[in-house]
Amino acid sequence: MTHALPGYVCPDDGTRADARTAPWCCPVCGGPWDLDFTPDPASALDPGSGPNSLWRYGSALPLPGAFAVTLSEGNTPLVPLGERIHAKLDFLMPTLSFKDRGAVMLAEVARRLGPERVIADSSGNAGTAVAAYCARAGLNCEIFVPEGTSEKKTEQIRAHGAAVRPVPGGREATAVAARAEADLPGVFYASHVFNPYFLHGTKTYVYEVWEELGGRLPEALVLPVGNGTLLLGAALAVEELARRGVRPPALIAVQAEAVSPLAAAFAAGAEDAEPVEQRPTLAEGIAIPAPPRARQILAAVRKSGGAFLTVPDDALRAAQRDLAGRGLFVEPTAAACWAAVGPLSPANPLQGRTAVIPLCGAGLKSGLTP
């Protein structure tokens, strides 16, 4: 039996498209797609009776019918980091980062569409996840990465059988190179930024927090933001759970001080972000000078009553070492939220609220910062 895939809708101009034939972006404005899908709040949501993967939230996910692609992703533990802060250990995913949540959705969509080749652009973690799940699905895959990407990350991508194409320049140049091939015949562009199925995978992060906290959410969710795929997925889940009577938390977004266009726009009261210079930072995973979903990210944080925080590299370095001293070895980007709200933070941004932070990527991917 063939099940229809929910289609795409442009959040800016309302353009609609069939997921099976749509271009990778809105043909009218060139922006990213949203998904024409809203879970039924009356549908049963009993994750305890589902499979040991994020597919146990099937009634809230946009892929109807039986799924075939999985590495038992999700279900990562929640551990206390202090009296009122918990950390969710998403670096314990199969490819050692939270990007598995979205990559498994994209691979399942691609499997159903049957392309000749899957491509993606990434600074490392998303590409690794897409490569792994494409391998699981039996799909040919090519990952575009910036020159200078950590060898540990490119080795992991190649280990999954994907081709690696280094691109001169930074993260934006890499995205441009991939998008130049995205609409070629037989290509599925597994973009973790433009394809909304990815966001419906990352939203399971919040469903798991809700499950692990006994059917509630903390007063604040603190989230690292570059392209905003985890924050926007979290915002989706918060809205969906609110329809089921769950009290929504504030969304606290964290950016690297060196590259923080969203924090600057938020502080200025702007609805969109102006591009900024690509500057070096230890938090390479969130160093995005022109996020395509900037308007949505800013709107989501404001709607939640949240805020933006920025952290300098010396704070990232200290937070990474502090977490390692607590038994949690993560990459610098993954330490950003702890740098912003942990005990080393010079302020008290949480103001006594309960909070959950994600530890998104394993330290083995990049090592300990000097």
Side-chain angles (χ1 to χ4, degrees), residues 79-93:
V79 301
L81 273 183
E83 186 178 345
R84 301 180 69 80
I85 303 178
H86 281 75
K88 189 158 173 58
L89 310 190
D90 260 24
F91 68 90
L92 297 180
M93 288 282 198

Side-chain angles (χ1 to χ4, degrees), residues 22-361:
W24 60 269
C25 66
C26 172
V28 176
C29 70
W33 293 112
D34 277 355
L35 206 59
D36 189 11
F37 172 79
T38 302
D40 181 358
S43 63
L45 188 60
D46 182 19
S49 63
N52 185 30
S53 71
L54 59 76
W55 294 112
R56 67 187 182 282
Y57 301 106
S59 63
L61 295 175
L63 287 172
F67 64 88
V69 182
T70 185
L71 289 166
S72 293
E73 58 291 319
N75 204 22
T76 57
L78 199 64
V79 301
L81 273 183
E83 186 178 345
R84 301 180 69 80
I85 303 178
H86 281 75
K88 189 158 173 58
L89 310 190
D90 260 24
F91 68 90
L92 297 180
M93 288 282 198
T95 75
L96 308 181
S97 93
F98 86 95
K99 296 288 176 62
D100 289 10
R101 294 186 183 277
V104 68
M105 296 289 287
L106 293 182
E108 178 65 21
V109 172
R111 184 192 68 82
R112 297 183 186 199
L113 296 178
E116 296 174 9
R117 180 170 58 121
V118 175
I119 68 170
D121 55 276
S122 169
S123 59
N125 287 341
T128 297
V130 169
Y133 284 92
C134 282
R136 193 68 171 174
L139 297 164
N140 292 325
C141 181
E142 182 175 17
I143 307 297
F144 293 67
V145 302
E147 276 187 350
T149 297
S150 163
E151 281 192 22
K152 293 182 179 180
K153 292 180 178 179
T154 56
E155 285 173 6
Q156 192 178 5
I157 292 169
R158 290 189 178 95
H160 294 305
V164 174
R165 188 187 299 190
V167 178
R171 183 66 185 83
E172 290 301 305
T174 304
V176 170
R179 291 165 193 167
E181 296 195 16
D183 282 327
L184 294 177
V187 171
F188 177 79
Y189 181 33
S191 171
H192 59 291
V193 181
F194 279 79
N195 193 304
Y197 278 95
F198 194 93
L199 305 182
H200 284 267
T202 60
K203 78 181 182 184
T204 59
Y205 169 87
V206 171
Y207 275 95
E208 289 181 16
V209 171
W210 163 79
E211 181 184 353
E212 289 161 322
L213 292 180
R216 61 181 177 85
L217 291 173
E219 294 168 288
L221 288 169
V222 186
L223 302 153
V225 176
N227 277 310
T229 55
L230 183 54
L231 184 138
L232 289 173
L236 281 172
V238 165
E239 287 189 8
E240 293 168 8
L241 287 168
R243 297 187 194 107
R244 295 176 181 267
V246 179
R247 184 177 178 179
L251 302 178
I252 309 295
V254 180
Q255 291 213 282
E257 186 178 271
V259 185
S260 51
L262 295 162
F266 187 86
E271 293 184 0
D272 204 349
E274 293 294 327
V276 299
E277 180 186 355
Q278 179 78 67
R279 298 166 59 194
T281 173
L282 295 174
E284 62 180 8
I286 54 173
I288 308 298
R293 293 187 182 270
R295 294 177 67 91
Q296 290 178 290
I297 297 165
L298 291 164
V301 173
R302 289 194 175 104
K303 180 179 179 180
S304 76
F308 273 83
L309 305 172
T310 61
V311 290
D313 272 16
D314 59 350
L316 289 167
R317 186 180 293 109
Q320 187 196 27
R321 291 181 177 276
D322 183 72
L323 286 167
R326 298 167 186 262
L328 300 167
F329 184 34
V330 300
E331 61 183 348
T333 300
C337 291
W338 188 236
V341 302
L344 301 179
S345 171
N348 180 26
L350 292 177
Q351 298 177 329
R353 290 175 290 185
T354 57
V356 172
I357 68 170
L359 300 182
C360 298

